[in-house]
């Protein structure tokens, strides 16, 4: 169905950059239209009524006009500004990482409602969680699943046997776990401990309400982060930019 010339949508602001004197280009993620770019004209003028509603990571309701190259935002209202994220540098950095991941993994105008809902839920969760890292791991594993990159965590990706409860190996290029016997087939595989595998499976299988109650020690958290980071880097064929910022912040906070 063709989108009418003027249309309404909810959106999360993933990115923005300034254009000319007072305009701003936004990258938006929407429930039914996927990712899209739009211009907010005059939004940086002090009297603009849209200004405060189009900040980074805002969940907003928009009215837009379709353009030949770029749609234009006519009206915007804030649904949630996720205030606790704005008041906490660590939480906001985790949220920006989540937004960057969605932005990098998606192409414009391809609907993925599950990915949208997951991002929206994650922003709400990051406002409240005491373990933002686990919230992010849950987000990553489920986002990859919604995008068609669900990691195989139960069977060896080579011999197809059920994995034994022991240390196994994660292969980013294979998109899952190798048993010790098949490990040599993939030179770049890395060890994955039984506990790391259990937490990753939990993120894949269970609701967030259950996952968020699990206590994960720092060392285990770092192990899972390392595995996911390698997998994501492999899929994107580049580093997620905000990763370096998260690492720096972690050292300094
Ligand atoms: Zn095997």
């Amino acid at each position: 169905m063709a989108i009418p010339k003027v249309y309404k949508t909810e959106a999360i602001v993933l990115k923005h950059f300034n254009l000319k004197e007072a305009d701003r280009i936004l990258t938006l993620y929407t429930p039914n239209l996927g990712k899209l770019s739009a211009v907010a004209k005059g939004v940086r003028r002090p009297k603009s009524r849209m200004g405060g509603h189009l900040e980074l990571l805002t969940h907003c309701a928009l009215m837009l006009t379709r353009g030949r190259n770029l749609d234009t935002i006519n009206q915007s209202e804030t649904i949630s500004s996720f205030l606790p994220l704005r008041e906490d540098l660590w939480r906001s950095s985790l949220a920006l990482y989540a937004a960057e991941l969605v932005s990098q993994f998606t192409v414009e105008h391809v609907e993925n409602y599950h990915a949208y809902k997951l991002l929206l839920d994650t922003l709400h969760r990051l406002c409240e969680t005491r373990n933002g890292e686990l919230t992010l791991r849950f987000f990553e594993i489920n986002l990859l699943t919604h995008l068609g990159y669900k990691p195989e965590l139960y069977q060896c990706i080579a011999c197809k046997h059920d994995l034994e409860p022991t240390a196994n190996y994660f292969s980013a290029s294979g998109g899952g776990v190798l048993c010790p016997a098949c490990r040599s087939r993939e030179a770049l595989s890395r060890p994955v401990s039984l506990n790391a595998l259990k937490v990753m499976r939990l993120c894949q299988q269970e609701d967030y309400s259950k996952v968020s109650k699990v206590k994960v020690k720092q060392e285990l958290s770092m192990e899972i982060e390392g595995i996911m980071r390698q997998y994501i880097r492999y899929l994107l064929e580049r580093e997620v930019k905000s990763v370096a910022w998260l690492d720096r912040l972690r050292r300094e906070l």
Side-chain angles (χ1 to χ4, degrees):
M1 192 180 73
I3 306 170
K5 190 151 172 61
V6 176
Y7 64 97
K8 288 181 179 180
T9 180
E10 280 183 26
I12 298 165
V13 181
L14 298 179
K15 282 197 299 191
H16 59 39
F17 65 89
N18 295 336
L19 185 74
K20 298 186 200 157
E21 271 171 44
D23 301 347
R24 187 172 275 167
I25 304 267
L26 297 102
T27 304
L28 305 163
Y29 201 55
T30 69
N32 306 117
L33 303 167
K35 184 169 76 174
L36 54 98
S37 299
V39 60
K41 288 186 177 152
V43 71
R44 284 154 53 221
R45 291 200 182 96
K47 283 185 181 165
S48 167
R49 277 188 293 169
M50 289 198 290
H53 303 289
L54 292 171
E55 296 299 322
L56 216 50
L57 300 175
T58 303
H59 178 209
C60 45
L62 304 176
M63 188 190 282
L64 299 102
T65 302
R66 211 147 42 97
R68 193 175 298 169
N69 299 313
L70 207 57
D71 295 358
T72 303
I73 301 173
N74 307 323
Q75 279 179 33
S76 67
E77 260 177 60
T78 300
I79 300 171
S80 176
S81 61
F82 305 105
L83 206 57
L85 294 184
R86 290 169 210 288
E87 293 168 343
D88 183 316
L89 185 58
W90 180 240
R91 284 176 199 268
S92 63
S93 302
L94 295 176
L96 284 169
Y97 168 82
E100 190 190 342
L101 219 53
V102 169
S103 181
Q104 294 227 25
F105 265 112
T106 52
V107 289
E108 296 215 351
H109 306 295
V110 177
E111 175 187 356
N112 190 330
Y113 179 77
H114 291 297
Y116 172 80
K117 181 74 169 62
L118 177 68
L119 177 62
L120 184 59
D121 289 344
T122 300
L123 296 179
H124 282 292
R125 288 163 186 164
L126 286 172
C127 290
E128 293 165 3
T129 183
R130 290 185 183 184
N131 188 348
E133 313 241 351
L134 186 60
T135 306
L136 266 200
R137 301 293 88 78
F138 181 88
F139 167 76
E140 288 170 339
I141 289 178
N142 285 284
L143 179 69
L144 293 181
T145 298
H146 297 323
L147 295 167
Y149 302 113
K150 182 180 180 179
E152 173 55 60
L153 304 175
Y154 290 87
Q155 289 183 342
C156 170
I157 52 171
C159 69
K160 309 292 178 198
H161 285 120
D162 289 347
L163 294 166
E164 298 290 334
T166 178
N168 287 284
Y169 296 85
F170 190 85
S171 160
S173 60
V177 180
L178 286 161
C179 73
C182 296
R183 181 208 177 174
S184 56
R185 294 187 186 201
E186 173 54 70
L188 294 175
S189 64
R190 58 185 289 157
V192 51
S193 69
L194 182 58
N195 281 336
L197 198 56
K198 280 182 179 170
V199 174
M200 290 168 74
R201 283 173 175 169
L202 205 67
C203 287
Q204 203 176 60
Q205 294 290 101
E206 299 292 343
D207 291 341
Y208 178 75
S209 57
K210 190 165 176 185
V211 173
S212 63
K213 292 192 179 76
V214 176
K215 295 252 183 304
V216 180
K217 289 196 175 140
Q218 178 71 8
E219 198 181 334
L220 181 57
S221 176
M222 298 291 285
E223 182 190 349
I224 303 166
E225 179 179 352
I227 293 166
M228 292 310 296
R229 201 179 270 191
Q230 189 186 32
Y231 187 34
I232 287 165
R233 194 192 304 126
Y234 175 81
L235 293 171
L236 287 172
E237 298 180 335
R238 59 177 176 256
E239 198 73 65
V240 181
K241 278 188 224 143
S242 46
V243 155
W245 169 248
L246 282 180
D247 284 348
R248 197 178 135 195
L249 213 55
R250 192 184 275 137
R251 282 195 301 272
E252 289 177 6
L253 284 178

